[in-house]
Amino acid sequence: MSITYLEAIREAQYEALRADPNVFLYGQDISTFGGAFKATKNLSREFPGRVFDSPISEDAMIGMAVGAAVEGARPIIEMQFADFSSVGFNQIVNQAATLYWRTNTPCPITIRMPSGGTPGSGPFHSQSMESIYAHYPGVVILTPATVEDAYWMLLQSVKLNDPVIFCEHKFLYYHLKSEGFGEATPIGKARIARPGRDATVVTYSAMLHEALKSAEELQMDGYQVEVVDLRSVKPMDTDTILASVSRTGRLLAVGESFPWGGVTAEIIARVSSEAFHMLDAPPMRLNAKDTPIPYHPNLWKSHRPTTNSITAALRDLLRY
């Protein structure tokens, strides 16, 4: 029986609630209604008194979670959309992220952020916020790209004693399926999603699947492109990235977030400073356009990296 990416997230929350009485869920309309995307459907019935509807105040939601964590709870907070987390920004980066450093008190909260774009969602419901939160020390940033990682990494998040930003991509909710959950891989370890010898693509979240399709296309021209799935943005598995670049000599970093700074810039900075001698061509990166995200589906498709734009970038890289 196939399991969707969204069902994996729901199942992980079920298992977390079952395994640990200190876990509870908190978010807007997540109890009886089951959340905007039904990621908590029926969980309030299975675990009465542990799935709570919050006020429409992301600041209050995160503040409550920090307080609960101080008292020994392990809350899972659902942001209705990742974009709205900016309203709780102070609580995340100034309170949760610094709590252990300031007080030696752990802050084990998991903040689920439905991230990334879908056709027609526009600028307020499509953003990828991982680069912003990765800037701050004290926060773990996870970006699962597979059904298996959506399940296992969410369970691992709940067990960590650090605040976790769990960036689950909305486009993958129903588009991605698997026959099971497989085996868990440690947080902070990247995965070679496709081996190759001619160029390395380092990516994460939904862009993994665009990169894999691009690699398939280029195989018909005789190129073998290696695709690295970061899985977690912070911590970042620099060793796996450098090992891949040492084999291929070429690097393309791909992300859906805005281009200024961010994850792809960090990847290129690390490779350029630590493995410049391994490069046979200038490293390249591909991101969304540096504009607000458009509503119109056709404009949205051209705003983010696609299989075609990744293929075109790789062809330029492979000319060197």
Side-chain angles (χ1 to χ4, degrees):
M1 178 179 172
S2 293
I3 302 165
T4 67
Y5 184 92
L6 180 63
E7 288 168 342
I9 291 167
R10 187 187 303 124
E11 186 63 27
Q13 291 179 103
Y14 176 92
E15 179 59 26
L17 287 163
R18 186 199 64 78
D20 187 347
N22 292 314
V23 174
F24 70 90
L25 312 185
Y26 193 52
Q28 296 167 22
D29 295 325
I30 70 165
S31 180
T32 304
F33 188 67
F37 300 100
K38 305 303 179 186
T40 58
K41 183 180 178 181
N42 296 330
L43 292 181
S44 64
R45 187 174 64 197
E46 297 279 354
F47 301 95
R50 295 174 64 193
V51 181
F52 302 101
D53 289 331
S54 72
I56 304 177
S57 171
E58 288 75 17
D59 183 58
M61 290 163 60
I62 304 301
M64 188 283 298
V66 173
V70 168
E71 294 299 319
R74 292 182 176 271
I76 302 174
I77 306 302
E78 180 182 299
M79 289 288 156
Q80 202 165 72
F81 290 87
D83 317 54
F84 303 164
S85 70
S86 60
V87 183
F89 189 74
N90 170 63
Q91 294 286 0
I92 296 171
V93 304
N94 288 330
Q95 302 300 328
T98 66
L99 184 66
Y100 185 76
W101 190 85
R102 290 182 289 113
T103 68
N104 209 36
T105 302
C107 189
I109 68 173
T110 299
I111 306 171
R112 289 182 41 241
M113 290 194 185
S115 303
T118 55
S121 294
F124 304 124
H125 302 83
S126 301
Q127 294 181 74
S128 299
M129 307 289 283
E130 65 277 355
S131 297
I132 294 173
Y133 291 110
H135 179 73
Y136 291 86
V139 187
V140 174
I141 316 294
L142 305 183
T143 52
T146 66
V147 171
E148 294 83 357
D149 274 348
Y151 176 77
W152 287 113
M153 293 176 83
L154 185 50
L155 284 175
Q156 291 166 331
S157 300
V158 176
K159 294 178 181 178
L160 287 178
N161 284 328
D162 301 300
V164 176
I165 304 294
F166 189 85
C167 300
E168 55 194 63
H169 202 290
K170 300 189 298 293
F171 191 75
L172 301 180
Y173 276 161
Y174 299 106
H175 287 82
L176 202 61
K177 295 182 179 180
S178 176
E179 294 304 314
F181 298 133
E183 298 293 327
T185 302
I187 286 173
K189 179 64 178 174
R191 177 177 70 96
I192 304 297
R194 179 190 176 99
R197 63 173 186 269
D198 298 310
T200 294
V201 177
V202 180
T203 188
Y204 58 95
S205 193
M207 289 296 102
L208 170 69
H209 305 284
E210 301 295 331
L212 288 171
K213 287 186 281 187
S214 175
E216 287 285 342
E217 288 186 7
L218 287 167
Q219 184 177 13
M220 293 187 288
D221 295 337
Y223 295 112
Q224 294 292 330
V225 175
E226 183 151 296
V227 179
V228 178
D229 175 13
L230 281 180
R231 301 180 62 250
S232 66
V233 164
K234 193 174 188 179
M236 182 180 288
D237 185 359
T238 306
D239 289 345
T240 294
I241 297 170
L242 297 181
S244 179
V245 171
S246 73
R247 290 189 291 270
T248 68
R250 295 173 176 84
L251 170 66
L252 173 65
V254 180
E256 190 176 338
S257 58
F258 299 123
W260 188 261
V263 178
T264 56
E266 180 67 20
I267 293 166
I268 287 181
R270 293 188 184 198
V271 171
S272 297
S273 62
E274 299 182 39
F276 184 79
H277 60 288
M278 297 179 183
L279 291 168
D280 296 328
M284 297 174 63
R285 66 185 179 124
L286 191 61
N287 283 85
K289 289 183 169 60
D290 194 17
T291 69
I293 300 164
Y295 280 104
H296 195 285
N298 290 341
L299 292 175
W300 171 75
K301 289 176 184 176
S302 63
H303 185 271
R304 69 203 282 267
T306 63
T307 300
N308 288 342
S309 63
I310 295 170
T311 301
L314 282 168
R315 289 191 187 281
D316 287 342
L317 187 62
L318 289 161
R319 288 195 182 100
Y320 285 93

